Amino acid sequence: MAAYKLIGKDFLPPDVIGKVTGRAKFAEDFRAEGMVFAKLLRSPMPHGLVRRVDAAQALAMKGVLGILTAADLPKVTAPAEPILTSEPLYVGEPILAIAAVDETTAADALDRVKVELEPLPFVLDPLESLRPGGANARTEGNVAAPNLKLQTLKWSARDFTAVREGELPRGKPAEEWHYGDIEAGFRQADLVIEESFITQALAHHAMEPRSALAYWQGGKLFLHGSTQSLAFSIPPLTRILGIEPANLHYVSENTGGGFGSKAAAYTQMAIPAFFAKKLGRPVMLRVSREEEHDFGRSRPGFQGWVKLGFRKDGRLLAADLYIVQSGGPYGAVNDFRNAGRHVSLVYQPLAMRWRGMPVLTNTPPRSAQRSPGETQTSIAMDPVIDKAARKLGLDRVAIRHINAPRSDGTIGPKREPLTSSFLPEALELGAAQFDWAAKQALSGKRTGSKVTGLGVGIGYHAAGNSGFDGLVLIRPDGKLYIHAGAGNLGTYSYAATARAAAEALGMPWERCEIVYGGTGRHVPWTCIQAGSNTTFTITRTNHVAAMDARRKLQEIAAREVGGEPAAFEVGGGRVFLKAEPAKGLAFAEAAQRAIALGGKYSGQELPKDLNPMTARSAAALAGQGLMGVAKDTLPRNGVIPGFCAGYALVEVDVETGQVEIKEYLGVADCGTVIHPKNLGNQILGGAVQGFGMALLEKHVYDPKYGIPATRGLATSKPPTYLDVPVNMRWAAVGKPDPQNPVGAKGAGEPPEGAAAAAVLCAISDALGGAHFGRSPLTCDIVLNAVEGRPQPFKPLDTNI
Amino acid sequence: MDASKGRSRSSHGLSRRAFIQGVIAAGAAVSSVNYLFRGNALGQGAGRGVAERLLTLTVNGQQRRVDVLDQETLLMTLRYKLGLTGTKIGCDRGECGNCTVLIDDVPVYACSTLTRIVHDAPITTIEGLAAPGGRLHPVQQAFVEELGPQCGFCTPGQIISAVGLLKVNRKPTRAEIAEALAGNVCRCGAYDHYLNAVQRATELI
Amino acid sequence: MAARDMMPAFELLQPATVEDALALLKRRDKDGWVLAGGMDSLDWFKDRIKRPKAVVELGRIGALRGIRARGADLEIGAMTTLTEVERDATLRERYGLLAQAARRVATPQIRNRGTLGGNVCQDARCWYYRAGLPCYRAGGNTCYADTPTAINREHCLFEADRCVAVSPSDTAPALIALDARFVVRHAGGEKEVPAEEFFIGPKTDITRMTILQPGDLLTAIRLPAAWANAKSYFEKAADRNAWDFPLVNVAAAMKIEGGTIRQARIAVGGVAPRPLRLKAVEESLLGEQPGKEAAEVAAKAAVWGARPLNHNQYKIPLLANLVKRAVRSMA
Ligand SMILES: Cc1cc2nc3c(=O)[nH]c(=O)nc-3n(C[C@H](O)[C@H](O)[C@H](O)COP(=O)(O)OP(=O)(O)OC[C@H]3O[C@@H](n4cnc5c(N)ncnc54)[C@H](O)[C@@H]3O)c2cc1C
Ligand code: FES
Ligand code: FES
């Protein structure tokens, strides 16, 4: 492994001090002179048509400044999400906004707005929508997904009756793929098992609600928002707003979590922007927790079925997977597709078929959530793998290990290659550190009312991308300024990836500054800050930008000192002759020279392949120092898999159904570890969310009225300190990915699925292999199972 | 005016005049008719005159005169009247802990406390922990050293709860820390690091 | 959409004596609201479901605070915080059951503001009711939680009467088990009622959880010397270990002499619209040895007459098992 000065060492990201002192500014912490407040009137019903709005009384109130309705806003074509709607598609969808001088007056005014709504049929459970004659979530249809047109698809009565009670009906799918001959695989298999399953939808509930403040000045929009991405949010945002990127000054210094729900732009941020324009005053939209639940996005639930054929030694010969997705009203999620890719990768079946049906539901809009589709798949698949292991008499780690991809593994129907996979190593390291083999003796052991169970689970997400731009500047003060287009949502990857630039230039970290937090900071075009993408992608862009700066330093030094550029080395803030290190220039001098030289050296001439955003930023910085700027054209071939193996030990109280997680270990394959302390926080933080998915969190709806029960945090139940082990452990394989300059790949997403699956498997283990095919396993479900009582719902019932 | 350039200023060590200037520089219009709550000017108050609505709060050791309505929560007073935006609104329902402040050294949810009810007790917010010169409180220092925060939105509340704990228990066990901080959700799940940090703080104090 | 965070205007009144408070409440009648720690009240106001015009805050009334001896009994002022209840040395020593129950309420911050009086007076947590729907309890004429498809996992097993909500309090069963007396003041005078009579079900009055009439104040709770230092057990089953209301909780106090149960009081929450004293269980224990056998009988008696709804069947074994554990623990 390369000897790094910075990569792999802990450091202090620059925003931490602000976070512990309260100085860090989130969107709702900003104020603007003359600022007024918008408040939303939202739908009380899951689907309806606004027939009449009478706001006269509200608008006559002192202090009320105006109203914004769908009529004031650009129209969108279904199934796209409107900013305000006149056909609400879920409870809590914004219909109109009122602005007033203070928030209380705005709320009082809303009380006086009369809205007549005509209720329309609604659907919460995708299977209900697929029945012949079942309701559609939208007047225009019931099935849609990205790149799949909005349409109406129903299954036949025969499709529903062809299956056993509790088995997923499998009518014609909207999409499917396959490779190999699954029927032959099942014929050759020594064991074939089949299971239906359900994972429930749940809210992201990022801690910071998505408040936004907007005002206009000189035709330019100043917007303070809460998004994960900075640069990547600009194109969708300007599209929603209908303005040129040059006219948007977007500020997002700190984002209070997103987990996918704030990946880029979302329509609700446009409300204060349009309202501010209409009123000619700054408008703050302070989003409440209930609103964050309602329109702050959620993970789609799955109803699924899987059939697996194993050889005696545990090798998976054939897999057949069917996923029905509850897609919310806008269907904008790929989770159902990711499920198929997950199975094809994690278990490398020799033959596989995937079928998917993305159904629309009158529930909160969906978005990616930490390992979108993959976390649900971990939850669904790992317990089935355990079941197979038991039937085959195999160790549960061993059956995962034999199927796990090596670096020559493939993914998807086209059997795409991988950049690297060290999942087998992660499983091995975990088994060793967890003492898996020795702990088997504890499995099923009862002490009083408590029974111990052990579980292992695998989380995965494609973690990286390429083709974005990097931008660094060495200023005459001799410092290296690394411009970060990534957002700052708590993963610190905007900072850790910056170290790849410093590393490439041998620059002491104290003399580096990361420039981030808003478009006003002149940032390069950068990948989405989501899906564990940044680490792989931005270490590459920062590397190529730094290498560009390095070349320019060498050239300038060659001019000044004489000799070939290649004869020069950079390091310690200097560029110097390798043979005679005393001869050279300090970066400060080189920056002065670059300014004097102009042209490519100081950003007056730019590479042609840059994204326009990078070009704009670079132009704004031109002439201020020595600029390194480049598009990442480094070779890349294949999908970049990030993995996590989770190991859990639980105690199930068979008298109450309560589960206590006693021990947890997460082991990542994320390539080179670039920031150990933060990696630990990600692996364990992801695990906490996984525990929530395994044991507590879900969307609950009254089926008759279509109204949600779990809108607050007290009812959504994210895990607290007392619901997780008081000590948790993590480790990483640490083998470099060959297609990244520092060997890194993403790490943040896979820990959630790994932990959730490990806990669910451990519960089954404690209960002698009891299979639930469902999550979360709340204490009522566990207790009913232990007591041999029937569950109060059907196996595939959702939202309960 | 560009609000993005505004920095939040803690009240610490600032006179009232300087503070108001600071806030105005940050873009906030603190004026006779405040913009958050309905003032009497709107004719819908519940009967109290402006003079009567003025309270003196002791926040972070400073006396602050402020116009407070009867139904106003401490959280809103802090954030929108006093410019102390370090105390966060995560739920406004006593369900997250982001708004935790100390009243008389005891952690409470500012979102679920009416300002008028607690106005005569000393209030400590996250802005009031560091020493006047800016030296971090040992708990803050420990949170930095252990890289406690992820997104940081819950961090002020976590730190305040920890400070409250260490005032009554100087050497808590890890389990006792978890109990004391159990009223602070961290959606990023940074619990393990926060526990490390509070344990570390017990060594720094 | 009810929830708007911002409370509508009200007048905050802060009397210094109980008498003044009673006078104010009388004057403001239906417009008035008693405010203790506010942990329940403010949510109703923010949701704009309850909209009092005058809020009478009891925090300035010194007489309502604190834990003091009253002869051989112990008296706790209604405005004593749950944290004070949890930490008080005398209480922990003599009535550990109540301290334990208080400790399991919500979170430290809620216990720091929430009062014992407020905890026993708090309103039902049925999610349909809290959503502001016009159910029976809210003065309407339907129960949303008891339809054939309703989601009623948290609802009641016993004593449903149009309403199927449960008593959410963790301290209430402990107070019943300790045979506490509740001191109620009203404009006309004062009365002391046994804990179990303080709580009422929908059959008595569907819009109230307790005997308190508008204008009444709960001023104190008295713990009798007779139950000091009794053997006791408290357990709460909830989804999360912080914040969450009990799915079922159980509080038991027993006097055991020479290995035989001489007196027993057991109360449970989360299974009926009021906290329930399990008299059949108590009776089954008298003269028995606390142990496995008695526990089995008690568990069976505990669930006699349970009428589960769609989603709360599990509460039957949960209740039975918690009672079983309570009895077993006495051995
Ligand atoms: C998120 C959350 C979680 C919770 N979890 C739990 C839990 O797990 N277990 C549990 O037991 N409780 C729980 N609670 C309830 C909490 O403990 C109570 O809200 C609190 O104890 C109420 O006390 P308070 O002093 O704040 O009362 P307030 O909210 O001020 O009052 C509550 C009600 O009682 C009336 N009242 C109060 N005092 C008197 C009096 N002296 N005389 C007459 N009427 C009076 C009020 O008028 C009001 O109707 C939770 C609350 C929240 C918000
Ligand atoms: S904002 Fe006060 S507890 Fe959430
Ligand atoms: S650090 Fe993000 S919520 Fe705690």
Side-chain angles (χ1 to χ4, degrees):
Chain A
M1 202 190 289
Y4 293 117
K5 287 212 174 69
L6 301 175
I7 299 295
K9 309 254 173 14
D10 285 328
F11 70 103
L12 181 65
D15 53 320
V16 177
I17 300 286
K19 285 173 176 172
V20 302
T21 53
R23 283 202 301 269
K25 290 259 207 177
F26 296 80
E28 196 225 320
D29 298 337
F30 289 93
R31 306 285 178 262
E33 187 108 41
M35 176 173 109
V36 299
F37 288 82
K39 261 188 135 37
L40 302 172
L41 189 139
R42 299 180 302 120
S43 176
M45 57 181 70
H47 190 188
L49 211 54
V50 177
R51 282 292 179 209
R52 209 172 63 90
V53 173
D54 176 1
Q57 266 197 42
L59 292 172
M61 281 172 64
K62 200 154 188 184
V64 173
L65 300 165
I67 183 170
L68 192 75
T69 68
D72 297 310
L73 300 168
K75 298 270 164 294
V76 296
T77 352
E81 183 179 5
I83 299 166
L84 294 169
T85 188
S86 44
E87 185 188 336
L89 295 169
Y90 61 94
V91 172
E93 180 154 34
I95 294 172
L96 59 84
I98 292 270
V101 292
D102 61 67
E103 217 183 323
T104 304
T105 302
D108 291 349
L110 285 178
D111 281 345
R112 304 194 190 175
V113 178
K114 294 189 200 88
V115 177
E116 258 173 50
L117 276 162
E118 177 189 327
L120 293 174
F122 67 90
V123 65
L124 305 169
D125 181 339
L127 293 179
E128 289 308 314
S129 187
L130 291 171
R131 280 187 202 285
N136 288 352
R138 307 185 56 124
T139 36
E140 308 90 343
N142 71 333
V143 167
N147 304 316
L148 177 72
K149 73 169 199 303
L150 175 57
Q151 57 195 294
T152 300
L153 295 176
K154 302 281 165 185
W155 290 343
S156 69
R158 238 165 232 288
D159 292 329
F160 281 89
T161 52
V163 293
R164 286 173 288 112
E165 169 74 24
E167 182 180 338
L168 184 80
R170 299 184 293 282
K172 189 172 168 346
E175 284 183 11
E176 66 176 297
W177 54 252
H178 78 275
Y179 64 82
D181 182 347
I182 54 169
E183 289 315 322
F186 288 129
R187 275 196 305 277
Q188 288 156 21
D190 298 300
L191 171 72
V192 176
I193 54 176
E194 223 187 285
E195 290 290 344
S196 295
F197 55 82
I198 169 175
T199 68
Q200 301 241 33
L202 75 158
H204 294 67
H205 269 314
M207 206 77 262
E208 179 206 10
R210 55 198 60 218
S211 300
L213 164 65
Y215 56 91
W216 294 79
Q217 226 167 48
K220 238 180 136 158
L221 171 65
F222 291 80
L223 183 63
H224 296 260
S226 176
T227 52
Q228 296 170 210
S229 309
L230 176 58
F232 205 82
S233 296
I234 303 306
L237 203 45
T238 50
R239 211 177 307 125
I240 296 169
L241 295 163
I243 61 174
E244 287 300 313
N247 289 331
L248 174 62
H249 184 109
Y250 181 60
V251 181
S252 177
E253 291 176 6
N254 293 280
T255 290
F259 318 110
S261 73
K262 301 172 182 166
Y266 40 88
T267 56
Q268 291 80 12
M269 327 168 58
I271 296 171
F274 281 104
F275 221 166
K277 189 160 206 181
K278 186 168 175 180
L279 299 175
R281 297 181 73 162
V283 174
M284 166 75 84
L285 178 70
R286 190 181 69 75
V287 168
S288 71
R289 174 52 52 188
E290 184 179 286
E291 287 168 336
E292 185 62 21
H293 166 275
D294 291 351
F295 57 68
R297 317 289 139 171
S298 51
R299 183 195 283 281
F302 283 173
Q303 288 152 316
W305 170 89
V306 68
K307 182 173 169 185
L308 301 172
F310 294 91
R311 207 164 59 197
K312 267 206 295 288
D313 62 357
R315 185 71 182 96
L316 186 59
L317 303 180
D320 193 4
L321 180 69
Y322 202 124
I323 301 287
V324 176
Q325 166 173 289
S326 75
Y330 302 111
V333 275
N334 282 307
D335 292 45
F336 70 119
R337 293 173 178 141
N338 294 350
R341 292 175 67 81
H342 176 115
V343 170
S344 74
L345 171 67
V346 172
Y347 307 106
Q348 297 287 300
L350 299 181
M352 175 166 176
R353 173 168 67 163
W354 165 84
R355 289 175 287 174
M357 193 66 161
V359 180
L360 302 180
T361 46
N362 298 103
T363 53
R366 310 306 197 201
S367 80
Q369 187 182 111
R370 215 164 187 165
S371 277
E374 294 104 356
T375 292
Q376 296 97 310
T377 310
S378 297
I379 283 176
M381 285 295 292
D382 271 304
V384 184
I385 297 292
D386 276 12
K387 191 168 181 178
R390 282 197 184 86
K391 294 205 166 173
L392 292 166
L394 296 171
D395 173 76
R396 291 181 288 143
V397 173
I399 194 171
R400 287 170 172 80
H401 194 274
I402 192 174
N403 290 307
R406 280 55 183 170
S407 289
D408 62 358
T410 61
I411 181 169
K414 300 205 184 92
R415 323 279 316 252
E416 297 154 65
L418 310 175
T419 58
S420 70
S421 166
F422 305 110
L423 176 57
E425 288 83 346
L427 285 164
E428 290 160 23
L429 184 61
Q433 293 205 0
F434 193 73
D435 218 356
W436 173 260
K439 281 208 170 95
Q440 293 310 303
L442 300 173
S443 159
K445 195 164 168 237
R446 180 164 175 163
T447 316
S449 61
K450 304 216 167 134
V451 186
T452 300
L454 303 163
V456 54
I458 297 172
Y460 152 70
H461 188 68
N465 211 325
S466 59
F468 293 86
D469 300 335
L471 176 61
V472 301
L473 194 67
I474 298 169
R475 290 183 179 264
D477 61 5
K479 283 184 168 181
L480 173 67
Y481 292 81
I482 303 148
H483 289 249
N488 177 20
L489 74 162
T491 62
Y492 300 116
S493 67
Y494 80 92
T497 55
R499 286 163 71 87
E503 187 78 56
L505 290 171
M507 190 68 172
W509 188 240
E510 315 75 67
R511 286 159 68 187
C512 299
E513 298 277 346
I514 308 170
V515 188
Y516 69 101
T519 52
R521 306 279 161 80
H522 310 306
V523 300
W525 173 236
T526 307
C527 70
I528 194 165
Q529 175 84 7
S532 297
N533 267 299
T534 46
T535 298
F536 181 92
T537 316
I538 310 179
T539 46
R540 285 167 60 116
T541 54
N542 282 332
H543 181 82
V544 295
M547 292 312 276
D548 182 52
R550 187 173 190 274
R551 267 186 308 276
K552 289 169 180 166
L553 285 164
Q554 287 171 317
E555 285 169 22
I556 288 176
R559 273 170 187 262
E560 296 290 315
V561 182
E564 283 301 304
F568 287 84
E569 186 54 87
V570 296
R574 287 180 74 242
V575 49
F576 53 87
L577 259 180
K578 273 180 224 166
E580 214 175 328
K583 280 196 171 163
L585 291 171
F587 277 11
E589 295 166 84
Q592 297 280 15
R593 300 306 308 145
I595 293 170
L597 285 167
K600 67 173 182 180
Y601 293 105
S602 68
Q604 267 95 356
E605 272 167 40
L606 297 172
K608 295 280 168 286
D609 59 355
L610 293 182
N611 177 283
M613 181 185 292
T614 317
R616 253 196 328 275
S617 293
L621 293 167
Q624 300 183 25
L626 188 151
M627 187 179 290
V629 59
K631 177 179 164 128
D632 163 20
T633 53
L634 299 173
R636 175 194 147 204
N637 177 27
V639 167
I640 308 122
F643 290 109
C644 185
Y647 287 80
L649 184 148
V650 306
E651 277 180 8
V652 180
D653 188 325
V654 292
E655 290 179 347
T656 62
Q658 289 173 306
V659 175
E660 188 183 351
I661 306 164
K662 306 289 286 185
E663 287 181 42
Y664 183 75
L665 167 69
V667 184
D669 164 24
C670 58
T672 306
V673 176
I674 57 175
H675 184 188
K677 210 159 207 157
N678 188 48
L679 175 62
N681 223 349
Q682 287 298 310
I683 295 176
L684 302 183
V688 170
Q689 289 190 332
F691 300 156
M693 271 195 84
L695 299 175
L696 297 162
E697 297 177 59
K698 58 189 168 176
H699 270 164
V700 175
Y701 274 81
D702 179 278
K704 184 167 165 201
Y705 300 99
I707 54 170
T710 44
R711 295 171 104 173
L713 290 169
T715 44
S716 289
K717 302 182 196 282
T720 72
Y721 278 94
L722 302 182
D723 304 304
V724 307
V726 75
N727 281 297
M728 297 198 265
R729 290 186 295 148
W730 67 273
V733 175
K735 289 200 174 173
D737 183 286
Q739 296 193 30
N740 180 280
V742 296
K745 48 184 186 175
E749 310 258 308
E752 181 172 357
V759 167
L760 291 169
C761 288
I763 296 171
S764 283
D765 183 52
L767 302 178
H771 188 80
F772 291 90
R774 157 173 294 267
S775 67
L777 290 181
T778 45
C779 62
D780 49 330
I781 296 179
V782 174
L783 187 57
N784 281 334
V786 171
E787 293 270 330
R789 286 173 172 266
Q791 301 291 356
F793 43 78
K794 298 209 188 77
L796 292 171
D797 280 357
T798 183
N799 298 316
I800 44 156
Chain B
M1 178 223 46
D2 176 358
S4 71
K5 294 216 182 77
R7 275 166 295 276
S8 71
R9 288 262 288 267
S10 92
S11 65
H12 216 111
L14 289 177
S15 71
R16 177 174 144 72
R17 229 183 99 244
F19 168 72
I20 289 180
Q21 284 170 348
V23 177
I24 289 175
V30 172
S31 61
S32 49
V33 179
N34 65 74
Y35 54 79
L36 174 67
F37 296 100
R38 183 173 48 227
N40 242 17
L42 295 173
Q44 295 174 51
R48 234 180 262 263
V50 180
E52 259 188 275
R53 290 203 311 257
L54 279 177
L55 288 181
T56 302
L57 298 181
T58 309
V59 185
N60 300 330
Q62 293 269 306
Q63 305 267 302
R64 307 283 301 271
R65 289 285 282 173
V66 54
D67 177 350
V68 175
L69 294 186
D70 285 20
Q71 79 274 21
E72 188 169 325
T73 62
L74 179 59
L75 179 55
M76 289 301 186
T77 307
L78 292 171
R79 289 182 56 78
Y80 283 99
K81 299 270 179 79
L82 300 178
L84 296 172
T85 55
T87 306
K88 304 297 179 197
I89 315 181
C91 71
D92 204 24
R93 289 292 189 286
E95 300 179 359
C96 76
N98 292 175
C99 65
T100 305
V101 297
L102 297 180
I103 297 181
D104 258 334
D105 285 348
V106 174
V108 303
Y109 296 142
C111 72
S112 301
T113 304
L114 296 181
T115 308
R116 300 199 82 86
I117 292 179
V118 295
H119 80 264
D120 45 10
I123 297 161
T124 308
T125 71
I126 188 73
E127 290 92 343
L129 292 181
R135 195 167 47 81
L136 297 182
H137 183 281
V139 173
Q140 291 173 313
Q141 183 60 35
F143 271 58
V144 170
E145 288 173 17
E146 294 296 329
L147 193 65
Q150 289 189 31
C151 79
F153 200 73
C154 73
T155 309
Q158 306 276 359
I159 290 176
I160 291 284
S161 283
V163 170
L165 166 68
L166 297 182
K167 281 184 191 287
V168 293
N169 182 353
R170 288 292 290 275
K171 283 278 169 215
T173 63
R174 203 169 166 90
E176 284 169 341
I177 299 168
E179 290 267 343
L181 270 59
N184 293 80
V185 169
C186 175
R187 186 54 164 159
C188 298
Y191 297 134
D192 202 68
H193 277 210
Y194 283 147
L195 292 176
N196 294 344
V198 183
Q199 286 198 300
R200 172 125 192 79
T202 63
E203 291 157 21
L204 298 181
I205 276 182
Chain C
M1 296 290 66
R4 306 222 171 93
D5 286 13
M6 309 310 288
M7 292 180 254
F10 54 72
E11 198 179 340
L12 182 69
L13 306 168
Q14 299 181 276
T17 64
V18 172
E19 290 69 28
D20 285 354
L22 290 169
L24 283 168
L25 285 167
K26 187 158 187 218
R27 185 150 14 107
R28 304 306 292 252
D29 193 32
K30 292 216 152 35
D31 281 347
W33 183 283
V34 176
L35 188 73
M39 299 310 304
D40 189 3
S41 304
L42 297 192
D43 287 5
W44 284 117
F45 305 163
K46 288 174 183 170
D47 287 338
R48 298 186 164 227
I49 298 171
K50 313 263 185 192
R51 307 176 76 135
K53 298 238 165 53
V55 171
V56 179
E57 197 261 329
L58 307 180
R60 300 276 138 108
I61 309 178
L64 293 181
R65 268 202 112 105
I67 299 169
R68 57 209 162 231
R70 190 171 179 279
D73 298 349
L74 199 67
E75 183 172 274
I76 309 171
M79 287 297 289
T80 308
T81 67
L82 293 164
T83 301
E84 287 159 353
V85 170
E86 170 192 340
R87 300 229 177 111
D88 183 80
T90 319
L91 224 150
R92 284 170 77 135
E93 191 195 316
R94 295 176 64 200
Y95 304 98
L97 178 57
L98 179 61
Q100 269 183 50
R103 190 183 151 81
R104 289 291 282 120
V105 170
T107 66
Q109 290 95 322
I110 288 179
R111 300 195 292 273
N112 287 340
R113 292 272 325 143
T115 63
L116 184 61
N119 191 265
V120 295
C121 293
Q122 64 176 302
D123 208 344
R125 283 273 158 186
C126 165
W127 73 268
Y128 294 95
Y129 174 53
R130 291 266 165 176
L133 295 171
C135 68
Y136 285 121
R137 186 171 288 280
N141 58 2
T142 186
C143 172
Y144 294 84
D146 195 17
T147 72
T149 53
I151 302 295
N152 42 30
R153 171 180 181 265
E154 285 88 23
H155 293 72
C156 76
L157 291 177
F158 303 98
E159 298 194 351
D161 185 337
R162 291 158 296 153
C163 178
V164 295
V166 295
S167 158
S169 167
D170 278 315
T171 60
L175 290 166
I176 293 176
L178 292 171
D179 199 13
R181 311 272 148 163
F182 286 44
V183 184
V184 176
R185 285 279 299 270
H186 46 91
E190 178 179 303
K191 64 181 168 188
E192 200 192 85
V193 296
E196 54 194 298
E197 287 169 24
F198 179 75
F199 302 98
I200 58 174
K203 204 166 163 181
T204 315
D205 184 341
I206 202 161
T207 62
R208 291 184 293 142
M209 304 284 285
T210 70
I211 57 164
L212 294 184
Q213 299 278 2
D216 288 358
L217 281 184
L218 172 69
T219 54
I221 292 175
R222 293 174 185 153
L223 299 171
W227 283 92
N229 303 314
K231 249 189 127 147
S232 69
Y233 185 83
F234 182 84
E235 186 171 358
K236 165 179 177 176
D239 286 318
R240 295 183 300 174
N241 293 308
W243 256 298
D244 288 6
F245 287 92
L247 297 165
V248 179
N249 58 14
V250 61
M254 289 182 209
K255 292 186 190 168
I256 301 169
E257 285 162 26
T260 305
I261 301 172
R262 294 294 171 205
Q263 276 181 287
R265 293 180 66 92
I266 299 195
V268 292
V271 294
R274 59 182 182 126
L276 272 193
R277 186 171 162 204
L278 301 179
K279 289 201 178 139
V281 173
E282 293 172 5
E283 194 192 304
S284 80
L285 293 170
L286 294 185
E288 300 293 324
Q289 319 232 303
K292 229 177 145 193
E293 205 194 315
E296 294 295 334
V297 177
K300 286 205 181 88
V303 297
W304 278 344
R307 287 179 179 277
L309 308 164
N310 281 343
H311 288 277
N312 70 354
Q313 300 256 354
Y314 73 97
K315 282 195 179 182
I316 294 178
L318 185 54
L319 172 60
N321 289 340
L322 291 187
V323 167
K324 195 188 291 181
R325 276 160 60 144
V327 176
R328 267 193 335 228
S329 77
M330 301 286 164

